[in-house]
Amino acid sequence: MVQADGLRFGYPGLVLADAASHVWPAGLCLIQGDEATGKSSWLKTLAGQLKPQAGALSYLFAADGRLPAHELYWQDPRQILSEAQSRVLVADWVAQQQSLYPHWSAPEMARHVQGFGLEVHWHKPLLALSSGSLRKLWMAAGWASSAALTLLDEPLAALDLASERYVLQALAQMADGLKDPARPRSVIVAHWDAMQGIGWDDVLALAPR
């Protein structure tokens, strides 16, 4: 689904990857590492948000190898919402997401809204949601997007125990469908451990710093 060849990326004075190569298949993929090993930066690089200083990324699900916007779902959970964004109602934000993704699944969204208990927030502005509820909303939309490449950063962070269990259940249930030959997809998760009960199709383990 995605191939990295000789990537070098990082920030001024901090190299996080140098001559790094990896291939991500269809299915559930994990980028695993401790704090400050570059997990989030890997996701930002895969999303095209952080430009590599060397090397190349190829998106094998696209005919020209480039990343189509409607085949990527990436919501940085640490990104601070602008004032305008924070005033958007949850229902309107979901409608906006649905318009961006041609393979959007309304039944999947409804299932995850119920699983996360997001119904009570439906007519609230985004600024009224806690960080945990926002993470749940980002994840539900990512899974409903049916994008070829879905990136999730620390999906269990700031969640209550019931929601953590739902994340693990939802990931386990979607695993087989991601490898549908008619439309393969890759869900790449960055997390500090292997998340109990998940059968990963691929694991990229980052060396401690």
Side-chain angles (χ1 to χ4, degrees):
M1 295 293 288
V2 185
Q3 181 170 328
D5 292 305
L7 285 191
R8 177 185 172 90
F9 63 82
Y11 304 93
L14 177 63
V15 176
L16 293 170
D18 192 12
S21 298
H22 195 78
V23 176
W24 288 268
L28 290 175
C29 303
L30 175 66
I31 299 177
Q32 182 179 354
D34 295 331
E35 193 71 23
T37 54
K39 301 186 299 298
S40 298
S41 296
W42 265 107
L43 295 186
K44 291 177 182 179
T45 302
L46 292 173
Q49 186 176 343
L50 179 61
K51 299 299 182 184
Q53 299 154 3
L57 275 172
S58 299
Y59 301 90
L60 307 180
F61 52 82
D64 60 1
R66 299 181 181 179
L67 180 60
H70 68 276
E71 290 291 19
L72 166 71
Y73 182 88
W74 160 243
Q75 183 77 39
D76 186 349
R78 298 175 182 83
Q79 181 78 36
I80 297 175
L81 298 176
S82 69
E83 184 176 351
Q85 290 170 330
S86 67
R87 297 188 181 281
V88 175
L89 299 181
V90 170
D92 293 338
W93 183 86
V94 171
Q96 291 171 3
Q97 298 304 301
Q98 183 171 359
S99 70
L100 296 175
Y101 296 99
H103 298 284
W104 179 274
S105 172
E108 280 294 294
M109 187 65 190
R111 183 166 72 87
H112 298 312
V113 165
Q114 183 178 20
F116 278 131
L118 292 170
E119 305 97 323
V120 296
H121 302 303
W122 207 245
H123 297 293
K124 296 179 183 178
L126 294 178
L127 62 83
L129 274 63
S130 67
S131 59
S133 293
L134 283 172
R135 279 181 182 266
K136 289 186 276 189
L137 180 62
W138 304 156
M139 278 188 282
W143 296 334
S145 73
S146 302
L149 179 60
T150 298
L151 307 175
L152 302 177
D153 194 6
E154 296 288 1
L156 303 185
L159 298 191
D160 56 89
L161 185 57
S163 296
E164 288 184 7
R165 290 173 178 156
Y166 184 74
V167 171
L168 297 175
Q169 171 190 320
L171 287 172
Q173 289 179 345
M174 73 177 64
D176 289 340
L178 297 174
K179 289 172 275 191
D180 182 352
R183 182 169 169 73
R185 293 179 289 140
S186 183
V187 173
I188 302 178
V189 177
H191 199 62
W192 66 272
D193 72 359
M195 299 171 64
Q196 185 176 3
I198 303 297
W200 300 103
D201 296 292
D202 177 79
V203 177
L204 172 59
L206 303 181
R209 292 187 57 81

